[in-house]
Structures are given as C-alpha cells and as structure tokens.
Amino acid sequence: MTPLRILIVDDHAVVRAGLRALLDQQPDFTVIGEAESGIEAIRQAGAHQPDIVVMDIRMPGGLSGIEACEQIVDKNPGCKVIMLTSY
C-alpha cells in the first residue's frame, strides 16, 4: 500500500514539528511538506498534491485555514483536510 501523503499547516513551528514527529512514526504516512500560512498551504498543496492536509483554523496573513481549505479542495478535489483548533 502506498503511504498517504500529508501536508502539515500551522503557524507555530513547534506544533508542526510535533505533528511531523508523530506522523513520521507511522509507516502508512509520509509528510511531504509544511506550511505556516494559508497562502503557503495553497501553494504547497498545488505543488505536492497531498492526500491529506492537517491544517490549523486560525492563521496569520489574512487567509484563515477555512478559506485556504476551500481553495485547496477546489483545486485538488481528491484531497481531504483535517482541521485543527485550540478552541
């Protein structure tokens, strides 16, 4: 079975590092990239075509995780998004 390709999106580097450390331990997952903003997430998703995006809802830069999610799924219909929040 081909590992699921995952993009991690969060504005906090420590959160991204923690998620990567957890996911890298799983043989069925491959972390293909990280992004710290919604705009960067859209760019990375277009370039790497992830199967799953793990994304924070609230991010700086004028584009929320929800708005980025909409654009990513519109451009990559097969991609699934798991939203994270601390609220």
Side-chain angles (χ1 to χ4, degrees):
M1 181 170 146
T2 303
L4 291 173
R5 299 164 36 87
I6 300 174
L7 173 64
I8 299 171
V9 184
D10 196 289
D11 57 319
H12 296 97
V14 71
V15 172
R16 291 193 313 272
L19 287 170
R20 179 183 278 272
L22 289 171
L23 294 170
D24 280 343
Q25 294 178 26
Q26 304 302 315
D28 295 335
F29 300 149
T30 299
V31 176
I32 57 156
E34 297 179 18
E36 62 183 351
S37 70
I39 293 169
E40 187 179 351
I42 293 166
R43 191 169 32 250
Q44 293 253 359
H48 299 296
Q49 300 294 306
D51 298 306
I52 300 170
V53 176
V54 178
M55 184 170 338
D56 188 11
I57 289 178
R58 188 172 166 201
M59 289 183 291
L63 190 68
S64 74
I66 294 170
E67 294 165 322
C69 172
E70 292 170 344
Q71 291 187 39
I72 289 169
V73 172
D74 281 346
K75 295 177 184 175
N76 306 289
C79 181
K80 305 298 182 200
V81 180
I82 298 171
M83 302 299 289
L84 297 177
T85 184
S86 62
Y87 297 101

